[in-house]
Amino acid sequence: DIRMTQSPASLSASLGETVNIECLASEDIYSDLAWYQQKPGKSPQLLIYNANSLQNGVPSRFSGSGSGTQYSLKINSLQSEDVATYFCQQYNNYPRTFGGGTKLELK
Amino acid sequence: EVQLVESGGGLVQPGRSLKLSCLASGFTFSNYGMNWIRQAPGKGLEWVASISSSSSYIYYADTVKGRFTISRDNAKNTLYLQMTSLRSEDTALYYCARHSYYGYNRDWGQGVMVTVSS
């Protein structure tokens, strides 16, 4: 199974700040990586797919990058509505696996 | 608008069975693979099972293999998850999700809660 190690587990940042979340795969996943945002009490929402493609309707302050085993999600100019937990997921192979999540809070 | 509405959850005793349903609308259901994904209270996301558009390909997580069965009825636009021999560790919010061509989950339902407890 491909293990997805996400860091940090929690993060506190100020409005307008830039935030980076990392996801490390235990083997090459060839950019088959998605990022999801889950707000409290809500279902996850797709932000990024294929490592760097922005889902329709997602603000351009979100971006994804990476290749091979290392990937990252960047949030520019943090807004209050970005408070959420973020998950990465690989879909290169079964079983599909998720990172443990990063809980983003406002400082 | 894509809608995925799960139902069938509830409180069940260990060892018993439960069947979840997910009614899809707003897209051509028979063209898409579907997934079940669960989230234990306060925990992360765990993929449970996937089924291809025509049911030709089915995959399960090791934690549910042999106990859970994913199926679909394309005529009824409905995805199912038959759960047997339920354990306390199966307690979770169960989401159905639409599978994209590449494999990521592009749309999610609101989830249905399953609680396994005596």
Side-chain angles (χ1 to χ4, degrees):
Chain A
D1 298 2
I2 298 174
R3 185 173 61 256
M4 304 301 291
T5 303
Q6 195 173 333
S7 61
S10 63
L11 181 56
S12 183
S14 302
L15 290 174
E17 197 173 324
T18 295
V19 168
N20 281 286
I21 298 169
E22 308 292 327
C23 197
L24 178 66
S26 60
E27 60 187 78
D28 195 330
I29 57 171
Y30 302 96
S31 297
D32 291 335
L33 183 104
W35 290 96
Y36 304 93
Q37 176 193 64
Q38 185 176 34
K39 295 183 178 181
K42 300 295 186 181
S43 305
Q45 298 292 314
L46 177 67
L47 295 176
I48 302 284
Y49 61 94
N50 295 351
N52 59 17
S53 296
L54 193 67
Q55 172 68 355
N56 288 344
V58 174
S60 58
R61 63 180 180 274
F62 291 90
S63 63
S65 63
S67 62
T69 62
Q70 298 187 30
Y71 299 87
S72 63
L73 173 70
K74 184 178 180 180
I75 310 173
N76 284 317
S77 188
L78 187 70
Q79 304 295 304
S80 57
E81 60 264 33
D82 300 334
V83 169
T85 300
Y86 294 84
F87 296 94
C88 62
Q89 182 221 336
Q90 67 81 19
Y91 45 93
N92 181 253
N93 215 338
Y94 285 97
R96 304 307 199 209
T97 45
F98 290 87
T102 296
K103 186 173 183 179
L104 176 59
E105 298 175 325
L106 283 180
K107 192 179 292 182
Chain B
E1 179 196 3
V2 171
Q3 285 202 339
L4 299 168
V5 180
E6 302 95 337
S7 61
L11 174 63
V12 61
Q13 293 179 327
R16 303 298 291 264
S17 300
L18 201 62
K19 187 172 186 176
L20 305 182
S21 300
C22 172
L23 178 62
S25 60
F27 64 100
T28 304
F29 182 70
S30 59
N31 286 351
Y32 289 89
M34 298 293 294
N35 305 304
W36 287 101
I37 295 154
R38 67 186 181 183
Q39 187 170 34
K43 301 296 184 182
L45 299 169
E46 180 189 14
W47 169 79
V48 173
S50 294
I51 187 168
S52 63
S53 57
S54 60
S55 304
S56 299
Y57 301 97
I58 289 175
Y59 304 90
Y60 295 101
D62 285 345
T63 51
V64 306
K65 198 174 295 181
R67 300 187 299 122
F68 290 12
T69 302
I70 188 172
S71 63
R72 62 191 296 159
D73 185 335
N74 286 344
K76 295 183 178 179
N77 288 349
T78 302
L79 174 72
Y80 301 102
L81 186 67
Q82 176 69 56
M83 305 183 292
T84 64
S85 303
L86 282 162
R87 306 166 180 167
S88 57
E89 54 264 37
D90 296 318
T91 293
L93 188 62
Y94 284 73
Y95 295 103
C96 72
R98 180 167 67 140
H99 200 261
S100 73
Y101 171 79
Y102 293 102
Y104 54 86
N105 299 292
R106 57 185 295 174
D107 302 285
W108 299 64
Q110 84 287 352
V112 61
M113 188 67 202
V114 173
T115 303
V116 184
S117 174
S118 54

